[in-house]
Amino acid sequence: MSHSLRPLLAGLPLAAGIGLALPAQAADTVSFGVPSWPGITVKTEIASQLLAPLGYQAQTDDIGLQVIYQGMESGDVDVFLGGWLPAQEPMLTPMEDKGSVKRIANNVDGAQMTLAVPEYVYEQGVTSFEDLDEHRDMFDGKIHGFGAGSAASEILNKAIDNDTWGLGDWQLVDTSTVGMLSAARDSISREDPIVWVGWTPHWMNLELPMRYLEDSKNLFGEGNGASQVLTLMGSDFADDNPNLTTFFENYTFTAEQQSWMIKAFGLDEKELDTVATTWIEDHPDRVEEMLDGVTTTDGDAAWPVVKEALSL
C-alpha cells in the first residue's frame, strides 16, 4: 500500500485551527494518520492489507503527531495506532474531554520506557536507579537521551534539578534516537558502561544485550515506565462504523511482535508491504482472532474472506 506524502501538512499553524486539506473520502475509506515511526507504519500497513478484502480502502497520510491529533478532531483522520501514553496525555485529554476522540484499545501488550544498561553492567550490580550515583564515575556522570524536548528529556531534567536518586550532578546527553543508540552500540562493542533511555517495543530489545533498571519512584510513570500504545479513533467515525470499531478492538500485538516489525522495516530496511505480508502469513491464528465478530462491507463473515484472499 502506498503512502500519500503530505510534507506541507507538517507546516500548518496548529493554533490557527486551519482544517487539513485531504482528499474527499469514499464511503468505505479509512484514513490513517501515520507519523514517521516504523512500528506504527508497519501496523498500519498490516491493517490496510487485512481490511482490503473486506471492502475497505485505506488512505495513509504521513504527517506529524500534532497534525494527526488535529486531524482526528476535525474528522480528516479516522484512526491512529500510536497513542503512546502517558507521554501523549497532554494532547489526548483535551480532545477526550470534548468528546472528539475515543480510546479503542491498547494495541501493544508490554510497552515500557525507562533507563537501560548493558546486560554486563546489570550483572555488575547496577540494577536500579538507586545504584546509579554510587557508580557515577563508571558512567562519567552521563545519561544518554534521544532528543531535547521529549517526554523522557523532561523527566530526566526534572530528576537532575531535584537531585532525585542523587542525579543532581549528572548530565543528560540529548542527541537523537540514532545518536543515542549509536552510542549504546559503540559502548557495548567495547563492553564499556553506558546508561540510556530504553523502550519497548523497539529493535534495540532484539539487537542489544540490555536490561531495564528498576525505579521504585516511578519517574517514568507507574509500573516503572509501563506504557500503553492506544488505538484512537475519531468519535463520530467510531460511532458510524461499529464493524471497524470491533476490528480495532481486536487488533493488538505483543511488544516482541512490534519490536520485530521495527527491526525488519526500520533497521533491516525491508519493503513495507513485504514486512506486513510476512507477519500476516506467519500469524494466521492471530489474524483469525483479530477478525472475530468482524464482517465485510457486504455483511459476510470476515475470516473466511481474508483467509481465501490472502491464502492463509
Side-chain angles (χ1 to χ4, degrees):
M1 306 290 174
S2 62
H3 283 230
S4 53
L5 298 176
R6 308 296 175 84
L8 294 178
L9 287 176
L12 286 176
L14 302 176
I18 297 176
L20 303 185
L22 303 184
Q25 298 179 9
D28 295 319
T29 296
V30 184
S31 174
F32 291 90
V34 186
S36 56
W37 303 343
I40 308 306
T41 301
V42 175
K43 281 191 298 189
T44 301
E45 176 65 12
I46 292 172
S48 300
Q49 291 190 18
L50 294 179
L51 291 173
L54 305 184
Y56 296 100
Q57 179 181 351
Q59 173 184 301
T60 56
D61 294 296
D62 302 303
I63 49 183
L65 183 62
Q66 290 177 302
V67 182
I68 288 171
Y69 273 93
Q70 181 189 5
M72 283 191 294
E73 185 172 33
S74 67
D76 292 302
V77 173
D78 301 322
V79 183
F80 176 43
L81 298 175
W84 189 291
L85 295 187
Q88 294 175 24
E89 199 82 59
M91 283 185 281
L92 175 59
T93 299
M95 294 185 182
E96 283 188 311
D97 291 344
K98 288 187 286 187
S100 57
V101 176
K102 282 188 175 181
R103 304 184 187 203
I104 303 302
N106 172 30
N107 65 59
V108 177
D109 180 34
Q112 181 183 18
M113 176 182 288
T114 190
L115 294 182
V117 296
E119 194 165 44
Y120 52 83
V121 171
Y122 192 92
E123 291 171 351
Q124 291 171 17
V126 182
T127 64
S128 70
F129 282 44
E130 186 176 8
D131 299 322
L132 285 172
D133 200 43
E134 180 183 346
H135 298 86
R136 184 185 183 282
D137 291 344
M138 175 191 295
F139 298 103
D140 197 25
K142 294 179 179 178
I143 298 172
H144 293 260
F146 59 87
S150 68
S153 179
E154 293 177 8
I155 289 167
L156 290 170
N157 279 320
K158 182 177 179 181
I160 290 170
D161 290 343
N162 294 336
D163 195 27
T164 307
W165 290 128
L167 297 177
D169 57 350
W170 283 60
Q171 175 189 358
L172 177 59
V173 181
D174 255 334
T175 53
S176 64
T177 301
V178 172
M180 181 189 74
L181 292 176
S182 293
R185 289 181 114 173
D186 289 346
S187 293
I188 288 170
S189 70
R190 300 188 300 268
E191 293 200 2
D192 288 341
I194 186 171
V195 56
W196 74 93
V197 180
W199 65 89
T200 184
H202 193 271
W203 61 254
M204 73 177 86
N205 300 277
L206 304 177
E207 290 288 296
L208 303 181
M210 58 183 282
R211 297 286 296 271
Y212 292 101
L213 299 181
E214 293 298 320
D215 174 21
S216 61
K217 297 183 186 295
N218 288 321
L219 296 187
F220 281 82
E222 293 299 318
N224 192 23
S227 302
Q228 292 183 309
V229 184
L230 298 182
T231 299
L232 303 175
M233 295 176 72
S235 295
D236 290 344
F237 184 82
D239 292 342
D240 292 341
N241 295 275
N243 188 50
L244 286 172
T245 302
T246 298
F247 171 77
F248 284 110
E249 287 173 346
N250 298 340
Y251 190 68
T252 62
F253 302 86
T254 65
E256 184 177 2
Q257 286 171 341
Q258 188 167 328
S259 293
W260 174 86
M261 298 173 195
I262 294 169
K263 179 180 183 295
F265 179 61
L267 182 64
D268 299 339
E269 298 183 346
K270 295 180 180 178
E271 292 295 327
L272 175 60
D273 59 348
T274 300
V275 174
T277 300
T278 299
W279 190 91
I280 291 170
E281 292 176 346
D282 288 348
H283 299 84
D285 292 345
R286 185 69 196 100
V287 170
E288 183 176 6
E289 292 171 350
M290 290 175 172
L291 297 174
D292 183 37
V294 180
T295 68
T296 68
T297 54
D298 293 329
D300 298 323
W303 168 241
V305 173
V306 170
K307 181 180 181 181
E308 181 179 359
L310 303 184
S311 302
L312 300 180

